Amino acid sequence: MASEVHERVQKYYGTRLQSSGDLQTSAACSLPRGRVAASTLDALALLHPEVCARYFGCAFVVPEKLQACKVLDLGSGSGRDCYLLSRLVGPSGWVVGLDMTEELVSAARKYIQYHQEKFGYEKPNTIFIQGYMERLDESGIRSDFFDVVVSNCVICLCPDKKAVLEEACRVLKDGGEFFFSDMYASKVIPENLKEDPVLWGEGMSGSLYWRDLIALAQEVGFSVPRLVTASHIIVHSSELLKKTGDITYASSTYRMFKLPKDIVKADAVVTYKGTVPECSDQLNFDASHTFKTEVPVLVDGETAVILQHSRFTLDFSVQSSDTSAPSQDPSSQYCHLNPFLLADKLGLSMKQCSKSGNERL
């Protein structure tokens, strides 16, 4: 299904970019150090240097509680996130990396045995497939199979965002999670900018307007996206600034869930049990929800359903609320979903964009 856009991106990432020194590459730019679990940092230290050298993402796409999960990485590149996740899911878990660029898939496959031995596994728990995010069925990826789907700054390179979200939703089990980082724009990108190959290769003209993500997610069957973290992208190239005008960009991580159909949503009081690994005192679920251990919290109906029907179900007790206060639909809380406001609050920014330079704040 390769289009002209796909071919340009394949060429850009397969041959033009040889290492992350060509890019802005820093998970710390878009994820506060305090939110990175020790197990994630320990796993990162075990990865082969070449895998890390060709990392082109903009965050850590590592949600909590991954032990024994089946994980799919969309746009897996050289495999850094896949190998990181393969350590965290453990030998009983499974990680599939999918990328459309042959050079990157080949580079990732070279180190399957290396990481298997490094992690002490009896057999590999990671595979890499060449294919398109918009047509996972063509790569033999079946429906209702994965516990978690991740993606790291590649949806902005894809011309059909809705198709990507539809496929991610299809291959997830009920209660499964899509946890992803990407670039977002402060307004809808004009069509003429989408024709610029440099802007597209840098992820700028393909960035989704952040409000449109909310509508797309619900249209394809996901819960309302939950904003986890965000950082401003500061573009210093005068040429790029002239082209994009007053459009600004943010690198943002969201999480959203595939919920069972026709389920009743009602406000509830939830209590976190402190059982998620490395989150014994509190679970930072998203930028708006921090659950302290054994402290009851009143949540909206959709949040209650997520906690009851995802892999977190055993980590929370959920009781019906007897409050008469009206429920507030999380989709109406745009201020809590706006990555630019959160980046302001956190004081996080990166120079250039995640695709276009090597300086950072």
Side-chain angles (χ1 to χ4, degrees), residues 19-30:
S19 75
S20 58
D22 300 323
L23 302 173
Q24 159 75 46
T25 305
S26 174
C29 285
S30 55

Side-chain angles (χ1 to χ4, degrees), residues 56 106 120 123 130 149 187 205 286 291-292 325 344-345 347:
F56 302 135
S106 297
K123 58 182 180 180
Q130 186 177 358
V149 174
K187 60 176 62 178
S205 61
D286 58 38
F291 300 106
K292 295 184 178 181
D344 286 340
K345 178 180 178 181

Side-chain angles (χ1 to χ4, degrees), residues 64-65 69 147 174-177 255 257-260 263 269-277 283 285 291 302-319:
E64 312 84 359
K65 200 176 180 182
C69 284
D147 301 292
D174 279 351
E177 177 179 11
R255 67 192 315 169
F257 293 81
K258 177 181 178 180
L259 302 180
I263 195 164
V269 175
V270 303
T271 304
Y272 173 52
K273 301 177 182 178
T275 49
V276 174
L283 175 63
F285 194 71
F291 300 106
E302 185 167 89
T303 301
V305 170
I306 289 172
L307 298 178
Q308 284 180 293
H309 295 276
S310 67
R311 66 186 186 282
F312 298 100
T313 183
L314 297 179
D315 302 299
F316 285 83
S317 62
V318 181
Q319 295 181 321

